[in-house]
Amino acid sequence: MSVVPNGGNGKITVPDLLQRKAADPNSKTQKITCLTAYDYPTARLLDEAGVDVILVGDSLGMVVLGHESTLSVTVDEMLHHTRAVRRGTRRALLVADMPYGSYHTDTAESLRNAVRFVKEAGAEAVKVEGGERRLELIARLTEAEIPVMGHVGLTPQSVNALGGYRVQGKTPDAAEQLIRDARAVEASGAFAVVLEAVPRELAAQITRELRIPTIGIGAGPDCDGQILVVHDILGLTFSQPPKFARQYANVAEIISNAVREYCEDVRNSGFPSDAESYHAPQATKVRKTVFIAS
Ligand code: KIV
């Protein structure tokens, strides 16, 4: 019996991504494409354009909700946005970020929160930040049939502990720790690991060593896949995007121009036109009503 990949419908699954790495351990072909999304229309557009993995990132807090960091994002906010992305995603693997505080207390509480992402929002995997210190947690989640994506290097939920958003793994000791973190994520059962803001050479070494795919963001071109925040590639953020985020479109400018034109048309009575208006049928022309003031 021959096995049809993805059941023949092109749906991306966790085993597919592991299989891609197994088939291409040096990551020369079949790179994994990942982007974030936070709402239905964006998810549909990404999915239909062929992105492999859609992450509902807790970057939601910064790029959509206007917070200074990701720390205040709640489980309920993430569930709300994951549900919307779920409705727009058919082919891509849908991963939900577990926000700060949702997996930092005890394992039972973390497991309950992770289960909510699967049961209530339709996520197919969750992402947690941290390396060695997440060993037990990732093992517990995978044991409960929840695929986990790890995230090491610059972990934005540790911004206060790290003292800012900085490139990680630059000293020999820090590089050693990062390698240990990535190994721990793999050993605990994660199916992939995000490497954020780490030197290209270090990311390449980790990619060669791991059997699970590495997904880079500011980690150079040698990772098995790449992820970016969708607002960065579309030019929809208000702050200076990081050096690694390539802007592919200027959607902010397109929106501003469209809105200015609309306002001008309304002010000049150029909108709506007669063709954009409804008309009463001839037979039922609106009767003149006379109101008598009492
Ligand atoms: O929250 C996020 O968007 C992320 C990625 C960009 C890796 O964690």
Side-chain angles (χ1 to χ4, degrees):
M1 187 185 79
S2 72
V3 177
V4 182
N6 313 314
N9 63 6
K11 170 80 186 104
I12 304 291
T13 64
V14 164
D16 291 332
L17 300 182
L18 287 163
Q19 173 53 34
R20 263 197 232 185
K21 171 91 181 196
D24 181 24
N26 297 322
S27 173
K28 291 276 179 271
T29 59
Q30 304 196 70
K31 296 272 190 192
I32 300 166
T33 57
C34 318
L35 278 172
T36 65
Y38 317 95
D39 58 41
Y40 170 79
T42 312
R44 265 198 80 157
L45 292 169
L46 266 49
D47 195 62
E48 288 168 13
V51 166
D52 295 320
V53 178
I54 296 182
L55 169 72
V56 186
D58 64 349
S59 48
L60 163 83
M62 297 170 83
V63 299
V64 174
L65 303 179
H67 296 301
E68 286 288 305
S69 76
T70 60
L71 297 179
S72 58
V73 175
T74 65
V75 170
D76 285 340
E77 285 169 338
M78 288 300 300
L79 286 171
H80 175 78
H81 287 269
T82 305
R83 282 186 208 108
V85 171
R86 173 72 282 164
R87 292 189 280 270
T89 305
R90 283 166 165 262
R91 174 187 172 272
L93 182 79
L94 176 55
V95 183
D97 229 351
M98 293 194 65
Y100 176 66
S102 68
Y103 59 99
H104 299 79
T105 51
D106 60 285
T107 307
E109 161 94 0
S110 310
L111 178 58
R112 270 194 296 277
N113 284 328
V115 166
R116 290 190 70 192
F117 280 98
V118 177
K119 280 184 95 89
E120 297 177 32
E124 292 159 312
V126 298
K127 178 165 82 58
V128 297
E129 297 184 3
E132 281 188 318
R133 59 187 188 281
R134 300 287 172 247
L135 244 170
E136 191 196 333
L137 172 67
I138 297 175
R140 185 69 193 93
L141 298 184
T142 51
E143 193 184 286
E145 320 301 348
I146 302 175
V148 177
M149 178 180 271
H151 184 160
V152 300
L154 171 56
T155 46
Q157 292 173 11
S158 324
V159 60
N160 291 329
L162 295 173
Y165 300 104
R166 298 202 180 89
V167 180
Q168 302 295 303
K170 280 173 52 171
T171 65
D173 281 353
E176 280 299 320
Q177 181 58 52
L178 230 150
I179 292 168
R180 279 198 297 275
D181 283 335
R183 282 184 190 143
V185 167
E186 171 169 283
S188 57
F191 73 90
V193 61
V194 170
L195 305 178
E196 178 161 353
V198 305
R200 172 185 177 167
E201 298 73 16
L202 181 56
Q205 185 183 336
I206 293 171
T207 301
R208 278 194 302 276
E209 198 181 304
L210 297 193
R211 279 170 290 106
I212 59 171
T214 59
I215 310 295
I217 172 164
D222 307 304
C223 298
D224 300 302
Q226 297 290 329
I227 186 161
L228 284 174
V229 168
V230 73
H231 287 58
D232 285 338
I233 74 160
L234 297 181
L236 252 181
T237 45
F238 294 95
S239 54
Q240 176 70 23
K243 152 181 168 149
F244 56 74
R246 187 181 298 178
Q247 190 182 318
Y248 286 85
N250 193 342
V251 173
E253 196 176 289
I254 293 171
I255 292 177
S256 297
N257 289 341
V259 171
R260 269 193 216 102
E261 232 179 283
Y262 164 77
C263 290
E264 210 176 290
D265 283 350
V266 170
R267 287 181 191 123
N268 301 333
S269 299
F271 175 84
S273 65
D274 187 57
E276 287 156 332
S277 308
Y278 294 111
H279 293 274
Q282 208 52 34
T284 58
K285 275 278 185 235
V286 182
R287 265 189 238 115
K288 201 169 175 190
T289 314
V290 181
F291 292 100
I292 303 168
S294 57

